[in-house]
């Protein structure tokens, strides 16, 4: 904490000094070179500083308190070529910047329709391609975003390769809406995002925007914590080739080749990427074998632009998603023996538990306990420039996914697989060892569109999407020790699902005057889902085909007020709605089926930019109605399903600051302080005991449910699981000479609870990690650009766990907590070399 206040002092000291030194004012206007019309909304940025502003409704702009010197101004606007101009300032000056129209604007149109603008009244972070590539040495995209505000990341294998996860403001990936060029990536049924299916996709990203809260998400499932909008479509004017290789700890290798033709005859482009990543993982045998490619071709006519993208990823990973039991992690031999007894472990499983390394233990001993999946994506875009500053963008897309995870199962009941009991002489066999594969075979296709108009005072977008999902779920037995009438690849279940998602929205950014602007975003969304689910009636419980229909209206309203050209305040109110996911439906009946969730999001912020200092403060309140969480309750079909809690909330303060301490030294920091609470929470837990155990159980605050026999207790204002109250990140960057950079990256994450009871017995401890990145960029006559990067992660070898899960039960009068954790690697490194031609 002392270090934090020390840096805070430096920040304000240097900010104050910068304000005293800088006295020159630069004002001017931005115009269309062809007709002299003013360009309202053009962005003017001073490179090498934190200063940026937006031209008002008359095209005027103003910078104050500049010191004398030479500056490079970068001016950009939708439909115009970006202008960079060097200006030497010694006194107050007035300038006119003239932008040249460009005939094709397809890439920018998609960005405009799906993203927040510079002065939007909501919380967002833009991440450029250059920022991503400084860290892109093989780790997955969530890990590359680890130092952005309010973000916590994790890795099943412990080293950032393979299955990784991301949370924004405590919300997991099923509540973060992710799009690629405006097309939804979240799985239609589970609503999660599995970027392991698109390894090294960061190498194809041109830009990315993270929106926190409801944001302006337009396509896909509702954003209940944030949105990640990825843009890959960007025209390259010049031909290029890039060869990138990296090697690191845990036998991690990454190989990437990128090539592009540039603009051929001012009309055609073709880009391609091929990637391969391998890693043994930090966790025992948690290997990853990942491959992907990306191909994009474009035609740019005078008024019509066509672009087609084809990209695919194929992954095989050894399963590391079971975590490590707490006793093994702590090296508690007595606890491990108790765990063995409770869970009836035998043979090799006992040896594996007792003799493994505490932080790398993997419970799976079958050598092909793997996840195997391939996902192919096809995207086609048509953009048409219409009259009077209108343009239309239409996209068609298709995604084909198929794959399985393989499991060795010991002593499973034959009847669970539709197999009869076996009688051999006097022996009755009702259980068997077997190997099964659980498959997904799905198709996702549809269209998105946006009609856009750029006016003097307003930007208008009318858009929408229609998407269809066909999901095949089935399981097959590929081997069984006992199965009298089973054939190889016998299917023991089949379950097809269908989902249709339609939405239409209108979005207006309106500039009332040079200071006040407004954002109005209205969305209607309709979701139809058909699935094989449970029905409970007089005939008992059985599977029947069911369907549900949801209609959502999601309005968003925000205001932005410019206090001066470099400072503004904003406020917004947004509504988000979200349907339950697949398990919520299939593991319930119509009587116990949960309700849809609703989120009311309030954002209030202040942004300030100057030559040497930039900072922002954003206060938020996210108020949930019927949020779905795990309570431990067994429903009417015997499943531990998620349940609605009537009232819960997240309120917090996000702060970002960047300080240019000197020409060589820059410091960027962000922090989030929050409270994340459930107003009234009822915990359920199973009870295995006798009547004489009840007094001791009741003394712990529990009562018994007469219908299910479960125990329950009521808790007030408990913390929402996996929601740390404090998150902070820092990047201290030093450039001793041109081309060479040293960066210290630090991350602090406060304690998190594994469930919603706020129990100190079931939590993740706070952790503080530090990474060191060294990079050197040089040019030569043979290779136009070379980049060497060394990334040393966790340089202090902090022992920490970034994720986990828990379940519990009463055994007699004693509560048993089965806690599992996902340890992350100690000190490890990645070394990369990139050659760019």
């Amino acid at each position: 904490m002392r270090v934090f206040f020390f840096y805070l002092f430096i920040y304000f000291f240097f900010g104050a000094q910068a304000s005293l030194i800088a006295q020159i004012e630069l004002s001017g206007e931005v115009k269309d070179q062809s007709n002299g019309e003013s360009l309202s909304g053009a962005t003017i940025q001073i490179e090498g500083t934190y200063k940026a502003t937006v031209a008002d409704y008359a095209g005027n702009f103003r910078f104050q308190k500049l010191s004398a010197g030479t500056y490079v101004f970068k001016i950009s606007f939708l439909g115009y070529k970006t202008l960079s101009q060097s200006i030497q300032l010694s006194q107050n000056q007035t300038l006119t910047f003239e932008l040249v129209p460009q005939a094709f604007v397809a890439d920018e149109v998609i960005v405009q329709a799906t993203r927040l603008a510079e002065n939007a009244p909501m919380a967002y972070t833009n991440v450029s391609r250059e920022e991503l590539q400084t860290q892109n040495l093989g780790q997955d995209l969530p890990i590359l975003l680890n130092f952005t505000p309010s973000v916590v990341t994790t890795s099943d294998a412990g080293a950032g390769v393979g299955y990784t996860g991301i949370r924004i403001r405590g919300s997991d990936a099923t509540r973060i809406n992710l799009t690629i060029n405006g097309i939804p990536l979240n799985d239609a049924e589970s609503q999660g995002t599995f970027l392991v299916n698109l390894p090294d996709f960061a190498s194809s990203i041109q830009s990315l925007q993270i929106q926190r809260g409801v944001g302006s998400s337009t396509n896909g499932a509702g954003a209940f914590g944030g949105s990640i909008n990825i843009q890959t479509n960007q025209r390259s004017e010049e031909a290029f080739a890039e060869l990138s290789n990296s090697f690191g700890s845990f036998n991690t290798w990454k190989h990437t080749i990128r090539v592009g033709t540039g603009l051929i005859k001012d009309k055609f482009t073709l880009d391609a990427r091929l990637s391969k990543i391998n890693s043994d993982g930090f966790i025992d045998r948690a290997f990853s074998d990942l491959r992907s490619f990306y191909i994009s071709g474009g035609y740019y006519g005078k008024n019509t632009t066509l672009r087609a993208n084809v990209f695919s990823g194929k992954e095989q990973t050894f399963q590391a998603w079971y975590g490590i039991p707490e006793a093994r992690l702590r090296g508690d031999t007595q606890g491990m023996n108790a765990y063995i007894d409770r869970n009836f472990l035998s043979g090799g499983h006992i040896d594996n538990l007792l003799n493994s390394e505490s932080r790398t233990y993997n419970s799976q001993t079958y050598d092909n306990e793997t996840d195997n999946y391939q996902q192919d994506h096809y995207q086609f875009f048509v953009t048409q420039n219409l009259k009077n500053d209108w343009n239309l963008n239409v996209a068609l897309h298709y995604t084909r996914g198929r794959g399985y995870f393989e499991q060795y199962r010991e002593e499973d009941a034959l009847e669970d697989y539709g197999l009869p009991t076996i009688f051999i002489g006097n022996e009755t066999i009702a259980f068997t060892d077997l190997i099964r594969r659980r498959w997904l075979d799905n198709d996702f296709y549809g269209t998105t569109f946006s009609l856009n108009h750029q006016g003097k005072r307003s930007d208008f977008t009318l858009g929408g999407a229609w998407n269809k999902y066909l999901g095949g779920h089935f399981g097959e037995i590929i081997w069984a020790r006992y199965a009298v009438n089973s054939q190889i690849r016998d299917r023991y279940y089949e379950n097809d699902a269908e989902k249709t998602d339609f939405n239409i929205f209108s979005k207006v950014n309106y500039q009332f005057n040079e200071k006040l602007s407004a954002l109005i975003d209205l969305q209607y969304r309709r979701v139809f889902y058909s699935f094989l689910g449970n029905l409970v009636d007089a005939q008992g419980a059985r599977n029947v085909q069911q369907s549900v229909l949801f209609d959502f209206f999601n309005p968003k309203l925000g205001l932005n007020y410019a206090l001066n050209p470099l400072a503004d305040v904003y406020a917004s109110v947004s509504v988000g709605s979200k349907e339950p996911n697949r398990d919520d439906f299939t593991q319930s009946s119509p009587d116990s089926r949960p309700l849809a969730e609703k989120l009311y999001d309030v954002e209030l912020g202040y942004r300030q930019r100057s030559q040497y200092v930039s900072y922002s403060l954003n206060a938020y309140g996210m108020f949930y109605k019927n949020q779905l969480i795990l309570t431990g309750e067994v429903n009417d079909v015997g499943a531990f399903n998620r349940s609605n809690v009537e009232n819960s909330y997240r309120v917090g303060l996000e702060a970002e600051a960047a300080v240019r301490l000197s020409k060589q030294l820059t410091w960027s920091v962000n922090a989030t302080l929050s409270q994340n609470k459930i107003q009234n929470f009822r915990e359920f837990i199973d009870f295995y005991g006798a009547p004489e155990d009840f007094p001791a159980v009741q003394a712990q605050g529990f009562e018994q449910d007469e219908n299910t026999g479960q125990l329950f207790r009521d808790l007030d204002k408990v913390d929402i699981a996996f929601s740390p109250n404090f998150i902070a990140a820092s990047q201290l960057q030093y450039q001793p000479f041109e081309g060479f950079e040293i960066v210290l990256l630090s991350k602090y994450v406060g304690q998190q609870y594994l469930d919603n009871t706020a129990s100190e017995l079931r939590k993740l401890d706070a952790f503080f990690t530090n990474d060191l990145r060294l990079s050197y960029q040089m040019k030569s006559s043979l290779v136009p650009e070379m980049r060497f990067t060394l990334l040393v992660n966790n340089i202090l070898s902090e022992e920490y766990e970034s994720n986990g899960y828990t379940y519990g039960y009463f055994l007699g009068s004693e509560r048993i907590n089965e806690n599992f954790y996902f340890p992350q690697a100690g000190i490890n490194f990645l070394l990369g070399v990139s050659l760019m031609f």
Side-chain angles (χ1 to χ4, degrees), residues 624-627 645-649 677-680:
Y624 299 90
K625 188 73 173 177
N626 293 323
Q627 184 179 189
V645 292
E646 187 174 1
N647 295 307
S648 54
Y649 62 86
K677 299 290 186 179
I678 301 170
Q679 291 278 31
N680 300 291

Side-chain angles (χ1 to χ4, degrees), residues 666-680:
T666 303
W667 183 56
S668 302
V669 65
N670 63 72
T672 302
L673 185 65
S674 65
Q675 282 195 343
N676 312 276
K677 299 290 186 179
I678 301 170
Q679 291 278 31
N680 300 291

Side-chain angles (χ1 to χ4, degrees), residues 82-236:
T82 298
L83 172 67
S84 290
Q85 188 168 329
S86 178
I87 305 292
Q88 185 171 355
L89 291 179
S90 58
Q91 59 185 1
N92 293 349
Q93 197 167 343
T94 301
L95 295 174
T96 298
F97 293 120
E98 295 184 339
L99 300 186
V100 177
Q102 61 182 13
F104 28 79
V105 294
D107 306 335
E108 293 87 348
V109 166
I110 297 173
V111 171
Q112 183 191 40
T114 59
R115 290 194 183 174
L116 292 168
E118 185 80 19
N119 62 345
M122 296 174 181
Y124 68 90
T125 299
N126 290 324
V127 182
S128 67
R129 172 175 175 79
E130 291 71 26
E131 291 173 294
L132 284 174
Q133 295 315 305
T134 58
Q135 290 275 114
N136 186 18
L137 300 173
Q139 294 177 307
D140 204 1
L141 181 61
I143 307 301
L144 303 187
L145 301 177
N146 184 47
F147 297 95
T148 55
S150 298
V151 163
V152 177
T153 62
T154 188
S155 166
D156 284 8
V161 182
Y163 272 93
T164 57
I166 185 170
R167 294 178 182 270
I168 300 176
R169 291 183 178 174
S171 299
D172 66 18
T174 66
R175 297 163 185 270
I176 299 170
N177 194 41
L178 197 152
T179 60
I180 297 177
N181 304 317
I183 293 169
L185 184 68
N186 295 63
D187 179 78
E189 292 191 278
S190 72
Q191 300 173 28
T193 50
F194 306 98
L195 288 164
V196 67
N197 299 330
L198 292 175
D200 196 29
F201 198 71
S203 291
S204 294
I205 294 176
Q206 297 298 334
S207 64
L208 176 153
Q209 184 179 80
I210 301 174
Q211 300 173 11
R212 300 187 292 280
V214 172
S216 67
S217 181
T218 53
N219 301 320
F224 262 53
S227 301
I228 300 176
N229 297 314
I230 292 172
Q231 179 74 5
T232 68
N233 293 351
Q234 183 169 315
R235 183 180 60 258
S236 176

Side-chain angles (χ1 to χ4, degrees), residues 492-567:
Y492 62 93
Y493 75 88
E494 288 190 83
N495 184 349
D496 293 339
E498 175 184 335
K499 188 172 185 178
T500 304
D501 190 335
F502 166 77
N503 82 79
I504 189 166
F505 69 91
S506 63
K507 182 168 62 173
V508 179
N509 288 285
Y510 188 80
Q511 191 83 34
F512 292 100
N513 52 48
E514 64 179 5
K515 291 185 176 295
L516 182 63
S517 63
L519 169 67
I520 302 174
D521 187 337
L522 306 175
Q523 183 205 52
Y524 165 73
R525 181 168 175 248
R526 166 165 278 209
V527 179
F528 171 80
Y529 185 39
S530 175
F531 56 95
L532 186 65
N534 292 282
L535 182 65
V536 180
D537 56 19
Q539 301 177 40
R542 63 187 190 280
N543 287 126
V544 296
Q545 194 71 24
Q546 298 180 47
S547 63
V548 291
L549 180 67
F550 295 98
D551 289 286
F552 299 129
F553 176 59
N554 301 315
K556 308 169 184 72
L557 172 65
L559 295 172
N560 187 87
Y561 185 80
L563 300 172
N564 59 60
L566 298 176

Side-chain angles (χ1 to χ4, degrees), residues 684-725:
F684 288 85
I685 188 169
D686 286 343
F687 173 67
Y688 305 102
E692 56 267 24
D693 297 315
F694 272 117
V697 168
Q698 289 174 329
Q700 299 176 55
F702 286 91
E703 300 178 42
Q704 189 169 34
D705 186 291
E706 295 181 357
N707 296 319
T708 66
Q710 285 189 292
L711 304 177
F712 70 88
R713 61 172 174 165
D714 292 320
L715 302 170
D716 294 329
K717 283 197 173 181
V718 290
D719 286 64
I720 303 175
F722 301 105
S723 300
N725 292 335

Side-chain angles (χ1 to χ4, degrees), residues 30 32 39-43 75-82 99-113 117 231 235 383 385 389-392 450-455 458-461:
V30 183
D32 184 319
L39 297 179
S40 167
T43 300
I75 305 93
S76 57
F77 190 59
L78 177 67
Y80 292 80
K81 293 182 179 179
T82 298
L99 300 186
V100 177
Q102 61 182 13
F104 28 79
V105 294
D107 306 335
E108 293 87 348
V109 166
I110 297 173
V111 171
Q112 183 191 40
Q231 179 74 5
R235 183 180 60 258
T383 300
N385 289 346
D389 298 319
W390 288 85
N391 53 67
L392 174 67
S450 62
L451 179 66
N452 310 279
H453 179 262
Q454 187 91 39
S458 65
D459 301 333
F460 171 75
T461 300

